Amino acid sequence: MYALDRLHMGGVLADDMGLGKTIQTIALLKGTREEKRTSLIVAPTSLTYNWLSEINRFAPELSAAVVSGNAAQRERLLRHITENGDVDAVITSYPLIRRDIDLLADYSFRLIILDEAQNIKNAGSMAAVTVKRLKGDSRFALTGTPMENGVGELWSIFDFVLPGYLPGYHSFLRKYQDGADSEDLRQRIRPFLTRRLKQDVLTELPDKIETRLTAQMTPEQKNVYQAAMERLRPKVNRLIEEKGIGRSRMEVLSAITELREICCHPSLVLDGYTGSSGKLEMLLELLPDMIQSGRRMLIFSQFTSLLKLIRPRLEEHGWETMYLDGDTPAGERLEMTEKFNSGEVPLFLISLRAGGSGLNLTGADVVIHYDPWWNPATEDQATDRAHRIGQTKKVDVIRLVMGESIEEQVVELGSRKKALFDQLITPGEAGLSALTEQDIRLLFS
């Protein structure tokens, strides 16, 4: 990628999932950084804040900003960036780039990065037409699925990274869509497309590939969360001051749990809520490519009510699922295990407490933790349902965290104080004694 940029060319990074497309791109941003020049990253809405989180984590010396807010707020931010160039990377989404293209079309970016570039696989789509109006020194597309249904999708991506390099769309289809000249096409694109598959690089990989994805709240969800925080913060402060941590333990646990449930989906605490959840949207964007590539997934959550909520959403997409919680009889647990491991069902939704032990699910090669678990050992036990003796594939472990929320605060606390939380799950469980007054106040800050 660095060499292609030096030559003022673009390319496609098409590594298989879990091989580090994001971190490679951040390294490229660092290595090609120029003063007073801004690079642009376009990603699915649910991944914009994850990009910000990863840049802050791996390259804190880079300044980055996410485009958000109403039209006037976005215009102020974009005009400031295009006039001053004092932000290294600006991150926006495919829906917003369509609305803001007139503000950006004349600016020359340092790099233009498309994440999940299959979003422009339809050459006639608004997303494809819009991003091709952007100007930059070099353009790169990141996608684990550069071609899903036909060579026309590959053409559209290359028309972004190297406009004019391949023949015109209709000439291209006449020459290549029947596969007769596939070797010629492979030679044409080879210098500009790099792809590694897991089976090709097993010696480079650990047994378990762990990824943290940061979601962004939807506007409706953010309103619910902020209202709850404004209501609960003074309540928790008053409880601590009047009763102390020991005597207010149950009430504080209840307040923390309410905020965590809102991060998962506000309908868990608010009857009649009709909006969505940023984390659920992220999950629904992650799954199609994984299912299409034959991945088999375990989805863990502490909240059985959440699993029962998302299960019909998954099945609306035509994905068959299984569900297990503490009420599932032991005999059925074994039957479900055998059915899943035989490959009949791609998605297994499991209550973290019920599925944390006693299951051998080596048919899975992806483990998704929908909500953070305060006790890392318990979370690892759940992960080890798939990552255990008998597993012949590498296992991707994906943790979903809601950005700018109590979840992010707890994860950061946990990283600084490894054993900070013994257990902090639902009201009625022990474990709040691990938290100091300062820790609790930070959660509600």
Side-chain angles (χ1 to χ4, degrees), residues 205-315:
L205 300 176
D207 292 334
K208 190 164 57 176
I209 304 165
E210 303 197 32
T211 304
R212 170 180 158 186
L213 296 180
T214 304
Q216 176 192 12
M217 292 188 194
T218 64
E220 307 97 323
Q221 184 178 24
K222 192 170 187 177
N223 289 339
V224 175
Y225 182 87
Q226 290 178 338
M229 177 63 83
E230 292 302 313
R231 171 173 51 85
L232 293 171
R233 182 190 293 117
K235 177 182 176 181
V236 169
N237 287 336
R238 187 176 65 252
L239 283 168
I240 294 174
E241 290 170 2
E242 294 177 358
K243 300 170 63 176
I245 294 177
R247 294 174 57 203
S248 61
R249 170 178 160 277
M250 296 296 289
E251 294 98 323
V252 173
L253 273 171
S254 179
I256 292 172
T257 300
E258 180 177 341
L259 292 174
R260 293 180 58 224
E261 287 177 317
I262 294 172
C263 291
C264 291
H265 202 294
S267 62
L268 298 184
V269 300
L270 186 63
D271 292 337
Y273 178 79
T274 58
S276 186
S277 160
K279 197 180 284 191
L280 178 56
E281 290 181 2
M282 174 179 277
L283 179 68
L284 294 175
E285 286 186 352
L286 283 173
L287 294 181
D289 285 348
M290 291 192 286
I291 291 175
Q292 185 174 0
S293 60
R295 309 300 296 277
R296 315 275 311 295
M297 283 149 279
L298 309 179
I299 302 176
F300 286 101
S301 174
Q302 173 214 328
F303 305 108
T304 56
S305 53
L306 171 76
L307 295 174
K308 292 174 181 176
L309 183 151
I310 66 176
R311 188 181 188 188
R313 290 293 306 276
L314 302 181
E315 293 180 342

Side-chain angles (χ1 to χ4, degrees), residues 41-85:
I41 300 168
V42 186
T45 302
S46 62
L47 295 180
T48 54
Y49 278 83
N50 186 69
W51 269 97
L52 180 64
S53 174
E54 295 295 83
I55 290 172
N56 290 338
R57 177 184 176 192
F58 290 110
E61 66 273 31
L62 295 180
S63 58
V66 172
V67 176
S68 62
N70 58 36
Q73 292 169 327
R74 299 198 309 275
E75 181 176 358
R76 283 196 298 271
L77 172 64
L78 293 174
R79 286 198 184 281
H80 172 84
I81 289 172
T82 54
E83 291 172 4
N84 296 280

Side-chain angles (χ1 to χ4, degrees), residues 172-189:
F172 179 86
L173 290 183
R174 283 195 298 271
K175 183 173 178 63
Y176 296 114
Q177 70 178 348
D178 62 1
D181 292 301
S182 58
E183 179 59 25
D184 176 66
L185 177 59
R186 190 180 73 84
Q187 293 293 339
R188 280 176 176 259
I189 66 174

Side-chain angles (χ1 to χ4, degrees), residues 311-369:
R311 188 181 188 188
R313 290 293 306 276
L314 302 181
E315 293 180 342
E316 285 174 9
H317 287 74
W319 303 323
E320 188 177 357
T321 66
M322 292 193 304
Y323 170 82
L324 181 151
D325 64 16
D327 295 328
T328 305
E332 288 186 25
R333 285 167 62 103
L334 181 59
E335 291 175 7
M336 287 181 176
T337 298
E338 293 174 350
K339 184 177 181 180
F340 181 82
N341 285 336
S342 69
E344 295 182 43
V345 180
L347 291 164
F348 201 164
L349 284 71
I350 305 176
S351 160
L352 195 57
R353 292 179 65 191
S357 61
L359 295 173
N360 185 338
L361 296 168
T362 51
D365 57 356
V366 178
V367 177
I368 298 174
H369 291 286

